[in-house]
Amino acid sequence: MPDYKLISAQLKGFLEADPYYVPALSNASALLWESLSDISWAGFYIVRGGQLVLGPFQGKTACIHIAKGKGVCGTAWEKDEAMLVPDVEQFPGHIACDSASRSEIVIPIHKDGEVVAVLDIDSPVLDRFSEEDKKGLIAYVEMLESSLEWAQNLY
Ligand code: SME
């Protein structure tokens, strides 16, 4: 199990250096990429123009746009709910950017009570993410929410 307290402390350092969403989310995805085992993608989708658009990430090239309610990311946005998917083949409407993906976790990110982005992590391993991962990643996202500086007119 990764030390989520340590990872969130490292993230705090990046946010203090510059809270602007481009460097902060770029390093936030790289930090997860370096810290979590058995993952194939870690990054962000950002709400823009009524849909999710690909943000900073680590991993293979990915789908650029995701509609509200579509896939795991769009569902997490629509329901405003963290989604832990142990087997993506059992999730109706899962969007397979990478056919090697077997399990996935998505955490909504808020500003002023609205979902403005999601954190998405994929794994090539079935049932990779535990409730402990979910708690740790929600704390990670809360750290982002507390100080991220978004672009003007982004959404
Ligand atoms: N699998 C996601 C799409 C994004 S990629 O995993 C990077 C989904 O179903 O929303």
Side-chain angles (χ1 to χ4, degrees), residues 3-97:
D3 184 344
Y4 281 107
K5 276 201 174 141
L6 177 66
I7 304 173
S8 291
Q10 289 174 279
L11 177 63
K12 190 165 186 266
F14 290 127
L15 287 164
E16 283 168 1
D18 196 327
Y20 188 55
Y21 79 108
V22 176
L25 294 183
S26 299
N27 270 334
S29 64
L31 188 52
L32 293 173
W33 185 252
E34 290 168 2
S35 308
L36 303 189
S37 59
D38 293 326
I39 62 169
S40 49
W41 202 88
F44 297 91
Y45 279 89
I46 298 168
V47 175
R48 180 170 178 262
Q51 59 184 346
L52 289 171
V53 63
L54 183 63
F57 70 95
Q58 300 277 308
K60 288 188 181 170
T61 53
C63 330
I64 297 172
H65 297 122
I66 299 177
K68 195 170 195 174
K70 299 291 178 193
V72 185
C73 292
T75 304
W77 175 22
E78 184 170 56
K79 291 189 171 173
D80 189 358
E81 204 176 287
M83 310 284 303
L84 199 168
V85 181
D87 180 354
V88 294
E89 284 173 17
Q90 303 301 316
F91 187 94
H94 167 256
I95 300 166
C97 293

Side-chain angles (χ1 to χ4, degrees), residues 5 14 40 67 76 82 87-88 99 107 110 119-120 124-125 131 133 140-144 150 154-155:
K5 276 201 174 141
F14 290 127
S40 49
D87 180 354
V88 294
S99 60
I107 315 283
H110 305 87
L119 165 64
D120 179 21
V125 176
E131 283 299 322
D133 288 302
Y140 192 76
V141 158
E142 284 171 353
M143 174 68 71
L144 286 171
W150 295 96
L154 186 61
Y155 45 85

